[in-house]
């Protein structure tokens, strides 16, 4: 049990469609970060949510958006899907925004395939 | 944040000690070093972190020299289950909201 729950585990979408991925952080954690990991690459930071606001964003287009709910769970939305969006999407939770005091705890990810 | 450089791959045999060195020449005063391990189709898992000298936990040791321009993750007596990708990252200990940036990592292959 990773403590961080992501759903769905696998997803297949068609180019141009929209997708929503969900993440429940570990109990007690209040910060959620999202990463995209293409095959053979390291995870790429998408954004971080804390207190229901996007606090930091990586180099991703506006097609990628997110939300954090009062219970700290989070959603990642991707619009107008491209073939290049096919990847493993990872959610990580922590307590507070500094990973020095609270190392990131990752879920098992959602495997998104765009055809 | 300082960029890190680590070997792309390493090979080892069961029972051996494995040392993975990471270079971070531009590390800042407030930066700390952290290592994550990742198995296929899973998220990375925190292994160890440190600021200076030596840190040891139940799974690994982290050696950081005085100039902090490099660090070495030491895995004692590896087993087949230690085959994974290992990421060395540098984070800002004082600044909240600084995202950890992953590189390509070191792929460790352990053979019997």
């Amino acid at each position: 049990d990773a403590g961080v729950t992501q759903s769905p585990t696998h997803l297949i979408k068609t180019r141009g469609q929209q997708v929503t991925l969900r993440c429940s952080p570990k109990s007690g954690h209040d910060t959620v970060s999202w990463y995209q990991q293409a095959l053979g690459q390291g995870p790429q930071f998408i954004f971080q949510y804390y207190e229901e606001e996007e606090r930091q964003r990586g180099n991703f287009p506006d097609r990628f958006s997110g939300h954090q709910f009062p219970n700290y769970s989070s959603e990642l939305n991707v619009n107008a899907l491209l073939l290049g969006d096919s990847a493993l999407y990872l959610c990580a939770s922590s307590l507070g925004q500094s990973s020095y005091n609270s190392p990131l705890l990752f879920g098992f990810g959602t495997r998104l395939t765009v055809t | 944040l300082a960029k890190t450089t680590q070997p792309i791959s390493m090979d080892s045999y069961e029972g051996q000690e494995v040392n993975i060195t990471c270079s971070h020449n531009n590390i800042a005063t407030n930066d700390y070093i952290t290592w994550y391990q990742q198995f296929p189709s899973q998220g990375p898992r925190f292994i160890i972190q440190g600021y200076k000298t030596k840190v040891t936990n139940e799974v690994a040791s982290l050696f950081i020299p005085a100039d902090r321009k490099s660090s070495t993750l030491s895995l004692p007596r590896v087993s087949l289950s230690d085959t994974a990708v290992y990421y060395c990252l540098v984070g800002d200990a004082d600044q909240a909201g600084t995202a950890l940036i992953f590189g390509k990592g070191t792929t460790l292959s352990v053979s019997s």
Side-chain angles (χ1 to χ4, degrees):
Chain A
D1 181 11
V4 175
T5 304
Q6 292 188 243
S7 63
T9 55
H10 296 83
L11 200 55
I12 300 175
K13 288 288 190 178
T14 304
R15 276 179 298 176
Q17 286 187 317
Q18 178 264 345
V19 68
T20 297
L21 310 182
R22 296 175 175 83
C23 173
S24 293
K26 176 183 177 180
S27 177
H29 283 183
D30 58 5
T31 303
V32 172
S33 302
W34 287 92
Y35 286 80
Q36 178 197 66
Q37 186 172 27
L39 204 60
Q41 303 296 316
Q44 299 299 305
F45 174 72
I46 303 175
F47 41 55
Q48 180 192 73
Y49 276 85
Y50 173 70
E51 292 186 335
E52 301 181 50
E53 290 189 13
E54 182 182 296
R55 300 291 178 167
Q56 191 173 2
R57 188 180 184 92
N59 188 26
F60 278 80
D62 292 343
R63 299 186 298 109
F64 290 77
S65 63
H67 188 78
Q68 185 179 36
F69 300 93
N71 66 354
Y72 307 124
S73 67
S74 178
E75 288 183 348
L76 164 65
N77 301 293
V78 186
N79 295 322
L81 284 167
L82 304 173
L83 293 178
D85 295 330
S86 295
L88 180 67
Y89 288 84
L90 296 162
C91 170
S93 73
S94 57
L95 177 61
Q97 292 180 267
S98 173
S99 54
Y100 178 71
N101 297 317
S102 174
L104 297 177
L105 179 65
F106 284 85
F108 285 98
T110 293
R111 173 71 64 186
L112 173 65
T113 302
V114 181
T115 62
Chain B
L1 289 175
K3 181 180 178 180
T4 61
T5 303
Q6 52 184 125
I8 294 176
S9 63
M10 294 184 68
D11 296 316
S12 183
Y13 291 97
E14 284 188 292
Q16 291 188 331
E17 178 185 72
V18 171
N19 296 307
I20 306 175
T21 297
C22 177
S23 172
H24 26 80
N25 290 319
N26 297 320
I27 192 167
T29 303
N30 296 329
D31 288 343
Y32 67 100
I33 300 105
T34 184
W35 286 80
Y36 283 74
Q37 173 195 54
Q38 186 177 27
F39 299 112
S41 298
Q42 293 185 26
R45 182 176 72 100
F46 171 80
I47 301 175
I48 197 168
Q49 72 179 29
Y51 183 76
K52 60 181 179 180
T53 63
K54 176 184 175 181
V55 180
T56 298
N57 61 22
E58 61 276 9
V59 298
S61 295
L62 178 60
F63 297 92
I64 306 170
D67 67 4
R68 304 201 322 125
K69 292 183 182 299
S70 66
S71 59
T72 299
L73 173 72
S74 181
L75 304 172
R77 298 179 299 280
V78 295
S79 63
L80 296 176
S81 63
D82 291 317
T83 294
V85 179
Y86 292 81
Y87 296 96
C88 167
L89 305 99
V90 169
D92 189 325
D94 288 343
Q95 185 174 353
T98 302
L100 285 180
I101 306 301
F102 287 78
K104 292 189 176 181
T106 297
T107 299
L108 172 65
S109 298
V110 180
S111 303
S112 57

